[in-house]
Amino acid sequence: MKKKDYAVIGLGRFGGSICLELSKEGMDVMAIDLDPDRVNDFKDIASHSVIADTTDEKVLREIGIQNIDHVIVAIGDNIQSSILTTLMLKELGIKRITVKAQNDYHEKVLNKIGADYVVHPERDMGRRIAHNIISSNVLDYLELSDEHSVVEVKAGERMDGETLVDLDIRAEYGCNIVAIKRDKEVLVSPLATEVIRGDDILIVIGADKDISRFEKNLVVEDD
């Protein structure tokens, strides 16, 4: 599977948390901001850190943004810069664009100009969004503590037709599947012989490091 490249534009609290989380997950991340101090803060965290005005198409081309698979626009309070940057990224043919919205009106504009995924930081956690960015099969992510979480994932092709015994998720990854959502039915504490279907939703609990390995090996699929 080809490793995806990410860029985070805007390194405030929200953009910074996305950049940090993606970097923790071992992803290649380009950190971009107009503020040199913010960029400097991420020079040892991100794969690349760049001072750039992302409303300028020439600048975007010079930093190689057109080669990035997924760009997250997390620009702070400047709605105009956010919209112009999103437009530039669309024109450059970026495959997937996630944008932080300041309000409902901003969200409507972003949807109209082609943002793939619009988020509201005050509603969504950086960690949850980072995991959703890494794989569209990760549907939800809830922190139980600093080191343990519950994740809701779509089973997908890799687990389709396998039993819980076959996958041996507890032994291999240290995680537990506590329930399976199937159509309108919820199977709580499923039997080890339960055959997983590709469109099942799995509720998985475990330590963050174990969940991360589970996601990388069984959940993340090529788009």
Side-chain angles (χ1 to χ4, degrees), residues 30 58-68 92 94:
M30 182 187 290
K58 184 168 178 277
V59 170
L60 286 173
R61 287 186 183 280
E62 283 172 357
I63 65 174
I65 202 87
Q66 65 275 14
N67 301 316
I68 302 288
L92 288 168
I94 302 299

Side-chain angles (χ1 to χ4, degrees), residues 31-154:
I32 306 166
D33 201 290
L34 261 177
D35 184 333
D37 291 335
R38 283 184 176 172
V39 171
N40 189 54
D41 288 342
F42 283 86
K43 73 180 193 314
D44 296 325
I45 295 168
S47 314
H48 315 280
S49 52
V50 184
I51 302 163
D53 175 5
T54 55
T55 63
D56 186 328
E57 185 177 343
K58 184 168 178 277
V59 170
L60 286 173
R61 287 186 183 280
E62 283 172 357
I63 65 174
I65 202 87
Q66 65 275 14
N67 301 316
I68 302 288
D69 300 299
H70 191 154
V71 180
I72 299 93
V73 181
I75 291 169
D77 296 329
N78 193 329
I79 289 178
Q80 182 173 314
S81 291
S82 166
I83 291 168
L84 286 173
T85 295
T86 305
L87 275 171
M88 296 293 174
L89 294 171
K90 286 298 291 183
E91 286 179 10
L92 288 168
I94 302 299
K95 292 178 199 166
R96 184 166 294 182
I97 305 167
T98 294
V99 192
K100 165 188 168 182
Q102 298 296 332
N103 51 46
D104 291 341
Y105 173 73
H106 187 196
E107 179 176 10
K108 282 180 185 173
V109 175
L110 292 169
N111 284 328
K112 280 186 184 298
I113 63 175
D116 298 295
Y117 184 40
V118 179
V119 297
H120 290 259
E122 56 284 359
R123 290 202 309 239
D124 305 312
M125 297 183 311
R127 177 174 290 180
R128 176 188 296 170
I129 292 165
H131 282 262
N132 289 355
I133 283 167
I134 292 167
S135 174
S136 57
N137 277 17
V138 177
L139 306 176
D140 205 355
Y141 202 95
L142 174 68
E143 289 181 69
L144 298 177
S145 69
D146 286 345
E147 295 180 357
H148 291 80
S149 301
V150 176
V151 64
E152 189 173 279
V153 301
K154 185 178 172 187

Side-chain angles (χ1 to χ4, degrees), residues 155-163 166-167 194-198:
E157 291 179 16
R158 293 185 194 181
M159 290 182 266
D160 191 10
E162 303 281 352
T163 66
D166 294 332
L167 294 169
E194 187 67 46
V195 177
I196 295 173
R197 301 176 190 169

